[in-house]
Amino acid sequence: MAIKRTKAEKKIAYDKKLCSLLDEYSKVLIAVADNVGSTQLQEIRKGLRGDSIVLMGKNTLIRRCIKVHAEKTGNKDYLELSNLLIGNVGLIFTKGDLKEVREEVAKYKVGAPARVGLVAPVDVVVPPGNTGLDPSQTSFFQVLNIPTKINKGTVEIITPVELIKKGDKVGSSESALLAKLGIRPFSYGLVISNVYDSGSVFSPEVLDLTEEDLMDKFASGVSMVASLSLAISYPTMAAAPHMFLNAYKNVLAVAVETDYSYPHADKIKEYLKDPSKFAVAAPAAAAASGGGGAAAAPKEEEKKDEPAEESDEEMGFSLFDD
């Protein structure tokens, strides 16, 4: 016969278990366990068995254990968890991928009836169709202003009706009607509210971010830093290329307007003196870069320009040379 342990012995055993988990695991999912039954919780434990452990308990007891563990080990990272222990929550210690564990937990949801006094987590819509109820049950529908008709001796709902809105409390009439119709509109399971990873706490939505999302956000941040740096003339790594380019443009502009010159400025001055050299330089640059479609366009323009030059000579421009 098993010896029944006292409350003090249970607390000591719970404290040892929690401290060993804190030493072994660095990733924790904080899950809200409202309306989750023991059988459902057992199924979740079985599904996560292998690399994750679900721990439930009183918030005050968990806080005390975390505080004692931090004082003994000097590791105060887990103290962040104490502020998250609000309401009916549990801890999921894991060594696996956080996103995969959250998706696995989300699979274990159980349908539940609309009990009186519950706050609806979703909108409840009664679909149209035959209810299978006899005409004596029409009083329920009349109280809730649901349009019905009698069809072949049973009550039939004519149009879909939004019976309960999200956030509203379930009334006795709504609960009784849904029970008669056999509708279980709500589903409950562990809902991940926060994520702890090696001292950092963040929202579970972060787990949905992909590498592309991170790159886009990083590029957007660099762009904002560069724009701000250029606006206030404060040098940063992000703005440095733009500053050098703007400085070069200023130097080039000074060289063009004055007698000062250097090799690159000489080319620009030549182009400004004789713009026709642009037409020759563009196809040459495109051919040097090995361009495909982009290089074809300047070549076509060059071919189109050649007949125009021949036609000018034919029109008598050579007479001036004579």
Side-chain angles (χ1 to χ4, degrees):
M1 182 177 177
I3 301 175
K4 188 176 180 179
R5 294 185 297 179
T6 63
K7 288 185 178 181
E9 292 174 340
K10 290 180 179 179
K11 287 183 178 180
I12 293 173
Y14 187 91
D15 181 74
K16 289 182 179 179
K17 181 178 180 180
L18 179 55
C19 289
S20 65
L21 293 175
L22 294 175
D23 290 332
E24 184 178 356
Y25 294 86
S26 61
K27 294 184 288 188
V28 185
L29 297 173
I30 296 86
V32 178
D34 291 339
N35 302 301
V36 177
S38 57
T39 303
Q40 183 181 358
L41 192 60
Q42 188 65 25
E43 292 296 325
I44 296 174
R45 284 194 170 99
K46 289 181 181 179
L48 297 177
R49 188 171 295 167
D51 59 358
S52 302
I53 295 177
V54 180
L55 181 70
M56 305 297 293
K58 292 183 178 181
N59 294 341
T60 52
L61 180 59
I62 297 176
R63 290 194 191 99
R64 187 186 65 80
C65 294
I66 292 175
K67 184 179 180 180
V68 172
H69 178 269
E71 292 174 352
K72 288 182 179 179
T73 62
N75 182 7
K76 298 183 178 181
D77 291 342
Y78 275 108
L79 292 176
E80 297 290 337
L81 290 176
S82 299
N83 300 327
L84 305 176
L85 299 174
I86 301 174
N88 186 19
V89 297
L91 303 178
I92 302 176
F93 294 86
T94 182
K95 293 181 180 179
D97 183 78
L98 291 170
K99 184 177 180 181
E100 293 179 358
V101 174
R102 186 188 66 163
E103 292 174 350
E104 182 67 23
V105 170
K107 294 179 181 178
Y108 297 91
K109 287 192 175 182
V110 177
R115 295 188 180 90
V116 179
L118 284 178
V119 177
V122 294
D123 294 333
V124 179
V125 178
V126 178
N130 197 316
T131 63
L133 301 175
D134 59 82
S136 63
Q137 304 291 331
T138 54
S139 59
F140 283 105
F141 300 96
Q142 292 173 356
V143 170
L144 298 171
N145 297 321
I146 299 177
T148 60
K149 66 178 181 179
I150 306 301
N151 184 16
K152 297 181 180 179
T154 58
V155 178
E156 181 177 335
I157 299 175
I158 301 174
T159 58
V161 177
E162 187 177 17
L163 188 63
I164 308 171
K165 292 184 178 181
K166 181 179 179 180
D168 292 346
K169 285 189 176 181
V170 179
S172 57
S173 299
E174 291 88 346
S175 177
L177 177 61
L178 291 172
K180 286 180 178 295
L181 296 177
I183 298 176
R184 299 167 68 89
F186 306 145
S187 60
Y188 297 107
L190 292 181
V191 179
I192 306 301
S193 59
N194 289 282
V195 181
Y196 171 91
D197 187 359
S198 303
S200 300
V201 177
F202 50 88
S203 171
E205 284 76 12
V206 175
L207 301 177
D208 297 325
L209 294 176
T210 61
E211 291 185 2
E212 294 180 357
D213 296 330
L214 296 176
M215 290 299 296
D216 290 341
K217 290 183 179 295
F218 179 78
S220 177
V222 171
S223 177
M224 293 178 65
V225 171
S227 299
L228 179 61
S229 300
L230 292 173
I232 63 177
S233 299
Y234 183 82
T236 60
M237 291 294 293
H242 304 283
M243 288 182 170
F244 282 119
L245 183 59
N246 291 337
Y248 176 76
K249 289 179 180 179
N250 293 333
V251 172
L252 183 59
V254 172
V256 170
E257 295 295 332
T258 63
D259 295 334
Y260 177 78
S261 186
Y262 55 93
H264 292 290
D266 290 338
K267 292 182 180 180
I268 300 299
K269 289 181 178 182
E270 290 178 7
Y271 291 148
L272 293 176
K273 289 179 181 179
D274 187 4
S276 62
K277 290 186 178 182
F278 280 111
V280 179
S289 63
K299 291 181 179 179
E300 291 179 0
E301 292 178 1
E302 185 181 0
K303 291 181 180 179
K304 291 179 181 178
D305 292 337
E306 290 179 359
E309 294 176 0
E310 292 177 0
S311 62
D312 291 341
E313 293 177 358
E314 291 174 0
M315 291 177 65
F317 280 102
S318 59
L319 295 176
F320 292 101
D321 297 334
D322 296 335

